[in-house]
Amino acid sequence: MTCRSTPRRSRHGMAAAALAAGLLTVPTAGPAAPAPAFTRSATAAAAGQGAECAPAGIARGAEPDTGAAAALRRAAGAIGIARLGGRLLHIRHADVRHELHQSDRTYAPFFATISRRESWIDPAAGMRRWTDETTYIESQLPRMEWLAGDRGVYLRRDTAVAPAPGMFGLAAADRPLDVATVVAEWLAAGDARVLGRCAYRDFPRLVLARTTADGEERLYLDPKTGVPVAYVKTEPHELWGRVRAEYVYANWILAGELRYPGSSYRILDGQLERSRTISGIDAVPADSAPSLRLPAPSMDMRDALAKMLAREPDTVRVGEHAFLLRSPMYTSAVALVGDTVFVLDATLGEVRARQDSAWIARLFAGRHPVALVVTDLAWPHIAGVRFWVANGAVVYSHPASRAFLERVVARRWTERPDLLERRRDRARLVFRPVAEPTAAAGGALRLVPLDGMGSEGAIVAYVRDARFLWAGDYVQNLREPTVYASDVWEAVRRAGITPERVGAMHIPPAPWSAVEALFGAPERAAQP
């Protein structure tokens, strides 16, 4: 939806590393461009939202425009935080994160990570402390305790406090689920302006806006009650460039002097990505709550993940012309097969793809055509696809991957154009389906669909001269049998391949016998 603006009235202002990895945002390459106007999201369109906003105070039934600061003070009073008087919010809630980036399909339903949490929040200071117990597929993580501000997140163990920069992306995405934190932050910034009046979730809303280093943000307020209905912004994304993030506040509850959303939602480009359900909330004296004090000196972790992602990978030779490219986040592989360089998975985005390209130039003398093998569609594993398509690489993958890869390539990166966007007039996806065991480079490379119960749509690659199997994301540990590893083992046996070594994104190279030892006799793999 697009708003016609009113004049500006104020001035401007692991525990589970695997869980976090898929949600990291990667700065996109290329020069910055002016931020585009907000467009109608899928959720807005489905709800019949108005496509355009009228200036505040003009829409029928509107009260006179009293300014952004007054509207924010009214919002703080409506939800009760204006009367906290130094007390903290104590909230019991359950959070659900839908794993859009790594489920077995690229469309709903997605599997979920579920956390039972107890939180203490100081909206004025922007601080929160919480404990959680998280359920993940095949995992029940132990109870953990966290402390976070707007610049960092820390893991508490007894009296020790350790920085956890790998969790900062998750904590930052969770932060606006708490409406009090958003309102307090906007009030403190003092740079909001009244933008207009829009229909949102079926009814007119007063829209405030502020400009940050990452672009324009909006806060939608209900003019009847003053309560916030939604907080909307755009943010960088490793696969889609920029995404629209909507935080929706709904199902309001009364708890003493507090009026609070019983449900909060984070929606990315129209898809529900996480939700929060509150079972209880009250205001407690600060001296009756755990300390929310950060360790001194505290770290600024806002760019820590970007720095980690930018670290150049190391090489590990697995054949005469085959190498793993290993980084702290993910491993990929490259192999010169015949005259063609095959890139086995393109992880983490354009920064990493450029690093891999530089390694290819050093490892394999001369000029070679490049082919990209996409073994599965988990977002962090394919974020470099656009770079290789922009450079003319042919893409091999399972036929089920084609529609999603076409969407990835077709996505317009207009705000911060990447290499593909800058070559839009001549770059195109050349797709080679791998529906059955497929020979490339005269049979020197074999591509094999897994098509097991846990791996429909995934493939693996076998470099014949190196007797090396690239298993992508489907051999994740060698300690115990898994459905993934079973699918790989069965597919290799069906294809008549006899690897000596195996490599994958999350393990160091290992002898293939280590995979075989997990399953023993063929009868074991056939068991449910």
Side-chain angles (χ1 to χ4, degrees):
M1 61 187 75
T2 303
C3 289
R4 296 194 299 270
S5 63
T6 53
R8 183 182 296 260
R9 295 179 181 270
S10 60
R11 57 186 177 78
H12 172 74
M14 129 155 298
L19 303 187
L23 298 175
L24 304 181
T25 53
V26 181
T28 54
F38 275 59
T39 56
R40 299 178 68 192
S41 71
T43 47
Q49 314 295 7
E52 191 169 359
C53 290
I58 295 178
R60 187 172 60 186
E63 76 284 357
D65 173 17
T66 55
L72 287 167
R73 288 193 297 271
R74 184 184 182 212
I79 64 178
I81 64 170
R83 296 179 294 278
L84 281 179
R87 291 174 297 168
L88 307 181
L89 297 176
H90 177 218
I91 307 176
R92 295 161 295 283
H93 54 101
D95 288 7
V96 177
R97 187 170 74 250
H98 300 274
E99 304 288 349
L100 277 60
H101 64 292
Q102 59 178 352
S103 289
D104 66 340
R105 294 294 187 274
T106 58
Y107 50 84
F110 305 103
F111 81 82
T113 300
I114 302 169
S115 300
R116 292 191 306 160
R117 292 180 170 175
E118 184 175 15
S119 297
W120 292 266
I121 299 171
D122 183 345
M127 293 298 303
R128 58 194 172 115
R129 177 170 172 166
W130 72 98
T131 62
D132 62 26
E133 295 180 5
T134 297
T135 300
Y136 190 74
I137 290 180
E138 287 193 299
S139 300
Q140 177 66 53
L141 300 181
R143 184 177 181 274
M144 298 181 187
E145 189 168 12
W146 305 89
L147 179 64
D150 62 345
R151 300 187 177 195
V153 59
Y154 297 82
L155 175 63
R156 294 186 60 93
R157 290 191 178 96
D158 299 322
T159 58
V161 181
M167 298 296 289
F168 182 75
L170 283 179
D174 277 346
R175 183 180 174 86
L177 289 172
D178 180 66
V179 68
T181 298
V182 174
V183 172
E185 194 170 89
W186 279 57
L187 267 171
D191 56 1
R193 65 190 186 277
V194 175
L195 188 66
R197 183 176 289 269
C198 295
Y200 189 93
R201 300 198 84 203
D202 306 312
F203 290 92
R205 314 296 182 188
L206 178 67
V207 186
L208 309 184
R210 60 189 294 253
T211 302
T212 71
D214 203 34
E216 186 180 83
E217 301 179 351
R218 295 184 180 180
L219 188 62
Y220 291 73
L221 304 176
D222 174 40
K224 303 183 298 295
T225 62
V227 302
V229 176
Y231 164 57
V232 182
K233 61 177 181 172
T234 63
E235 56 189 44
H237 192 278
E238 71 273 14
L239 189 64
W240 303 117
R242 302 286 294 183
V243 292
R244 175 184 170 103
E246 299 176 66
Y247 291 86
V248 178
Y249 309 114
N251 303 315
W252 290 78
I253 58 178
L254 281 173
E257 59 204 308
L258 299 171
R259 180 187 294 179
Y260 230 70
S263 303
S264 301
Y265 309 95
R266 172 175 153 95
I267 300 167
L268 294 184
D269 276 1
Q271 289 188 310
L272 178 63
E273 193 260 345
R274 65 187 70 189
S275 62
R276 171 169 296 173
T277 300
I278 290 178
S279 62
I281 179 172
D282 55 348
V284 299
D287 58 7
S288 299
S291 171
L292 272 62
R293 182 174 299 174
L294 287 174
S298 59
M299 290 177 57
D300 188 339
M301 304 178 190
R302 289 174 294 179
D303 63 350
L305 295 177
K307 289 179 179 177
M308 184 166 60
L309 293 172
R311 287 178 56 181
E312 187 174 5
D314 296 323
T315 60
V316 179
R317 184 185 291 272
V318 291
E320 185 178 359
H321 301 294
F323 298 85
L324 300 182
L325 302 179
R326 298 183 60 186
S327 76
M329 296 300 301
Y330 292 109
T331 297
S332 59
V334 292
L336 179 62
V337 185
D339 190 46
T340 299
V341 173
F342 284 84
V343 178
L344 308 180
D345 287 315
T347 73
L348 294 178
E350 186 167 310
V351 171
R352 170 61 184 266
R354 288 185 181 278
Q355 292 169 340
D356 290 356
S357 178
W359 268 116
I360 288 170
R362 292 196 290 267
L363 294 171
F364 310 120
R367 297 180 63 85
H368 304 276
V370 175
L372 172 64
V373 176
V374 174
T375 60
D376 82 286
L377 294 181
W379 291 358
H381 305 167
I382 62 171
V385 164
R386 290 170 59 95
F387 174 86
W388 293 110
V389 169
N391 280 289
V394 173
V395 178
Y396 289 83
S397 194
H398 195 283
S401 301
R402 181 168 193 156
F404 190 76
L405 292 174
E406 287 174 344
R407 283 176 54 201
V408 171
V409 172
R411 177 80 169 210
R412 300 307 301 266
W413 286 32
T414 54
E415 186 174 345
R416 296 176 184 173
D418 63 349
L419 181 65
L420 186 143
E421 199 62 54
R422 299 197 297 275
R423 295 181 177 178
R424 176 68 63 183
D425 59 338
R426 60 186 187 276
R428 65 188 182 94
L429 176 64
V430 179
F431 186 84
R432 298 286 185 265
V434 182
E436 56 189 23
T438 300
L445 183 78
R446 297 280 304 279
L447 302 175
V448 180
L450 296 182
D451 288 338
M453 199 59 240
S455 58
E456 291 178 326
I459 66 175
V460 294
Y462 178 63
V463 182
R464 185 185 62 194
D465 291 348
R467 296 189 66 184
F468 171 74
L469 182 78
W470 173 250
D473 198 30
Y474 283 81
V475 176
Q476 296 191 349
N477 74 74
L478 296 170
R479 300 183 302 274
E480 57 187 3
T482 64
V483 169
Y484 284 176
S486 175
D487 289 349
V488 173
W489 183 60
E490 288 281 16
V492 166
R493 291 175 63 244
R494 288 194 305 269
I497 294 171
T498 56
E500 286 186 352
R501 304 181 79 191
V502 60
M505 293 178 179
H506 302 295
I507 63 169
W512 177 249
S513 58
V515 176
E516 292 182 315
L518 296 175
F519 301 103
E523 292 79 16
R524 180 171 178 180
Q527 293 176 0

